[in-house]
Amino acid sequence: MCSDACIVVALIYIERLERKTGRIWLNALSTHRYFKAACIRLVITALVLAIKLLEDKYYDNNYYAKVGGVSCRELNGMELRLVEELEYELQVTQEEYREYLNRQAIACVGNAEI
């Protein structure tokens, strides 16, 4: 149970984290395996938070941990840490959501090969 909106909101959380920490978390050019593993964990954690915020029905953390290839204990810890890093600001306004989608659309068009 994961709508497109959950994916967008998870990416907004990651962008917020980058703004707060000043660190780029998702970078396609990074090849270090430990950095990639951290990115995957961050995406899983952000996605779980978004699902819990947006979906009426969702699985427990045991399920998401198994899907994400981490222990439930690790996912619980990552979830708490991300919520704290985001200072418990998990709501995404419609305006913020639309703005994010517009920026991504412009970036896609700007990167399109002609």
Side-chain angles (χ1 to χ4, degrees):
M1 311 224 159
C2 179
S3 64
D4 292 345
C6 290
I7 295 168
V8 173
V9 169
L11 292 171
I12 290 171
Y13 289 163
I14 293 168
E15 188 176 87
R16 285 180 182 176
L17 181 65
E18 289 175 347
R19 280 195 310 264
K20 287 183 182 288
T21 63
R23 186 172 180 192
I24 304 297
W25 286 95
L26 299 182
N27 183 343
L29 300 176
S30 177
T31 57
H32 197 278
R33 67 181 177 165
Y34 296 115
F35 187 76
K36 284 184 177 181
C39 290
I40 291 168
R41 284 173 163 73
L42 175 59
V43 170
I44 292 165
T45 306
L47 196 54
V48 167
L49 286 177
I51 290 168
K52 288 179 177 182
L53 179 74
L54 297 175
E55 300 294 342
D56 292 332
K57 295 180 182 179
Y58 55 86
Y59 297 103
D60 64 18
N61 277 13
N62 284 315
Y63 174 81
Y64 294 119
K66 185 178 283 189
V67 170
V70 297
S71 71
C72 186
R73 183 178 179 167
E74 184 177 9
L75 179 59
N76 291 340
M78 292 185 305
E79 188 177 3
L80 177 61
R81 175 86 188 267
L82 182 56
V83 169
E84 289 173 347
E85 288 289 333
L86 293 174
E87 298 172 353
Y88 298 87
E89 296 175 13
L90 300 180
Q91 287 290 11
V92 175
T93 65
Q94 288 181 351
E95 181 179 325
E96 184 180 13
Y97 185 90
R98 281 193 301 269
E99 179 185 309
Y100 183 84
L101 286 180
N102 288 337
R103 280 187 286 123
Q104 298 311 310
I106 290 167
C108 289
V109 170
N111 290 328
E113 292 184 27
I114 297 174

